[in-house]
Amino acid sequence: MVVTAPTEAAAGGIVIRPIRPEDGEAWLAFLGALSPATRFKRAARRLEDMTPEGVRAATDPDPRRELALVAAPQGANELCGVARLLLADDGLTGEFLLVVADRWQRRGIGGRLLDALLEEAARRGVATVEGAVLGTNRGMLEFVRRRGFAVEPLAPKAISVHVVRHLRV
Ligand SMILES: CC(C)(COP(=O)(O)OP(=O)(O)OC[C@H]1O[C@@H](n2cnc3c(N)ncnc32)[C@H](O)[C@@H]1OP(=O)(O)O)[C@@H](O)C(=O)NCCC(=O)NCCS
């Protein structure tokens, strides 16, 4: 799938594709360049393992456990966004993680990554996709709402909101 962001037409467009083992260096550079605000908003409960084993696991995930897509400028060794779906043991439920590099945000890349992730999840028979979004991350809450996720009310004292979308009828 090729996505052409009008402002980046000169860069030849953005490709959405599965992550691959050769992405190790680009993945580390992508993570290293994330601003503190973007890191905070991710609300990731899992910290990335940057050891060689961790990089291998992140760039060559076991397809029974994880589905991982990246957005990459065509022909460049760079990643501008990463979307993952961490699958439960039965493969029917998955938790999504999504982050777009600061300089690429608000250009439609996150939307395309999440759409592609949901499409691939449905193709693989995943029934439910869920995630945790910081209650203060209004942009992301609006973003997932528009994609058909139900946003549960923020529980007392909780900082993140559970969002869920059912893919099967
Ligand atoms: C949230 C995120 C993944 C969205 O990706 P993106 O490529 O920036 O989003 P898109 O350009 O596809 O925007 C889609 C819509 O999301 C909403 N949105 C995204 N970021 C927003 C922000 N900072 N403020 C308000 N709305 C925002 C808007 O509705 C936007 O539509 P619009 O541009 O037509 O107004 C990305 O901004 C990001 O990585 N943010 C920091 C980390 C994060 O919040 N991750 C999600 C953790 S659950």
Side-chain angles (χ1 to χ4, degrees), residues 86-103:
L86 311 179
L87 296 165
D89 287 344
D90 61 8
L92 292 174
T93 302
E95 179 183 356
F96 79 89
L97 305 173
L98 177 64
V99 64
V100 172
D102 290 77
R103 73 186 192 91

Side-chain angles (χ1 to χ4, degrees), residues 4 9 16 25 29 36 58 65 80 85 87 94 96 102 108 131 145 148 158 162:
T4 304
I16 307 290
E25 259 181 48
R65 304 223 137 255
C80 39
L85 191 67
L87 296 165
F96 79 89
D102 290 77
R145 237 184 229 117
H162 183 240

Side-chain angles (χ1 to χ4, degrees), residues 37-39 41-43 96-101 104-112 132-134 137-140 142-143 146-147:
T38 288
R39 285 170 201 277
K41 283 191 203 158
R42 276 191 314 164
F96 79 89
L97 305 173
L98 177 64
V99 64
V100 172
W104 291 95
Q105 288 176 11
R106 302 305 294 270
R107 299 187 195 195
I109 291 173
R112 280 159 172 124
V133 180
L134 281 182
N137 195 352
R138 304 250 162 236
M140 184 64 189
E142 180 52 34
F143 169 88
R146 280 204 224 148
R147 280 177 169 73

